[in-house]
Amino acid sequence: MSKIHALSEQLTNIIAAGEVVERPMGVVKELVENSIDANATHIEVMITQGGLESIVVSDDGQGIDPEDVALAFKRHSTSKISHHDDLLKLSTHGFRGEALPSIASVSNCICITNNGESATKAHISYGKTIEIAPTFASKGTTMRIEGLFLKTPARLKHMKSIPYENALILDVMQKFALSYPNIAFSLTIDDKKVLETRGATLEDVIYRIYGKDVAQHTHYFEAVHHDFKVKGVIGAPHLHRASRKDMVVFTNSRMIRSTSMSKAIIEGMASYIPKDRYPFAIVFIEMDQHLLDVNVHPSKWEVRISKEKELQLWLSQTISQVISKKPITKPVVLSPIQSEYHEPLSMINELDHSMIHQSMPSMHSNVMEVKEEKITSQPNEPKRATVLAQLHKKYILASTHEGLIILDQHAAMERIRFEYYLKQYQDTQHMSAKLMPLVIEDPKALLLKDELIQTFSLINIHVEQLHEHALVIREVPSWLTQVNEEEVIQDVVTLLSEGTMRKQDILHRLLATLACHSSIRFNDQLSMAQMQKIVDDLFLCDQPYHCPHGRPTMMNVTLETLYKEFGR
Ligand code: ADP
Ligand code: MG
């Protein structure tokens, strides 16, 4: 008896679904792409229970003709291409004709569509057609997906928490909104509207997604090469992020994941941000369709770009030119010095030194508040390294009895601040409160509310729900100074939404994040006194040689090496 047989259509669709729609976010992506391909101007998405209970995508696009509805749910049926040549000049997101049959094979799917003349309803449940019949509806298409993966338990097992799935969906919707600012998008998760754009400009979308601080500190750019065009926005260096998440790249309006394009952005910004941090950048690359192969993976996240190396180099040079012409430090808002408040270093130069009279008694005292006369009275004078100069506003050169040490100023300061925060965390008597109502409206933070509350409670920061669309922090421990709380929250949200914060690492990551945000940066000009304070404080740390992320804080060149190299 023959052992080989063709698989049933239902089974091939389920297999395809594994690649096309790995998780609820994939379903949302495919359905919204169909709405965009149908020239919709309004696209509304509603999610319940991370998309596992239901996903509804409604659009006002051109709809599906009644005679095509059944076909739309058949594998490899598409209205978007007909000939091989069409693959070389694709202008639509879809072309494989796989999404609808795949989705309908792993869910209970109801489609209501109107092409402007007549309306049709199709009900397909886990691959079986239940009904296709005329109905009433306004122009456009509504796809309702229920009970996703309910009958494919292996797939269901891959799902992470509901907030995590929600965060992925929000992320993909934000990318659609960025690449199609002219379309009005809305996303409602469990009855809460978490994204709403008006179909206006990119500036408007950036403001709505990332908020005022980002919107005010982004630089728009455009450049042309003989094969490529690029435009987009780069965030000022201080907007650096904990992960690659806010480096968003589109090729011919498709969101893609591309290691080489991410590298180009990172390289372009390399001189301006710390090594283990990532730039904020939204980059739209346009090229002739002949140079772009999108038929690489069913979910279409990956593409093949001809002349990719050339593009990578040009993009990185373009970004580096753009950023080199912009002011690179964050404008500082002056506020009066209070008794236990310690001003950021960047402000010290601008302030009357007579105002700086506070000093913290702790051994990891605040490096920001430098008193010139203190330097001459350091107790550990045999151990001391004496600062010689600052190199390129990035490194501190200091002489020791063994030779020369070169310190990475940001890494050194991170170590000092990290140990300072660790000590404060362990030493609960410093827990009096500093009042600072801070309202958090970031939709991603709201989705991850419970995780956020738990994480911040570790360091006695109490996050509460203010109202449906906002959380609030009313007070922070008084030792938590110099930190830009909004940046820290943004980082923690990013780490939580990526699932990269392991429970056992949370406290370390949180303290490292605080340390990073309260440290002087690469490219901050320092006075001799400030540098000496950093060096002295670093040598008082328990682990002076590495920053909290494990990178070295200093290098040394011994006198012996110098004698040898100079042939003495
Ligand atoms: P593809 O997008 O690759 O063509 P799909 O399975 O996603 O394949 O969709 C099949 C077909 O159904 C599309 O080619 C299109 O003609 C039609 N279709 C799907 N969604 C919509 C929609 N929202 N509006 C209009 N037509 C749609
Ligand atoms: Mg499609």
Side-chain angles (χ1 to χ4, degrees), residues 313-327:
L313 186 66
W314 175 68
L315 180 61
S316 116
Q317 286 166 349
T318 304
I319 287 180
S320 133
Q321 272 167 20
V322 173
I323 206 70
S324 68
K325 291 187 190 126
K326 306 288 175 191

Side-chain angles (χ1 to χ4, degrees), residues 30-31 34-35 37-38 59 61-64 71-74 77-80 93-101 113 140-141 143 300:
E30 290 295 336
L31 296 180
N34 280 343
S35 299
D37 285 346
D59 68 51
Q62 67 207 22
I64 310 177
L71 211 53
F73 287 91
K74 292 266 174 260
S77 307
T78 178
S79 57
K80 298 170 193 175
H93 283 283
F95 59 92
R96 302 173 67 103
E98 281 185 308
L100 293 190
T113 185
T141 303
M143 292 279 180
K300 297 167 288 180

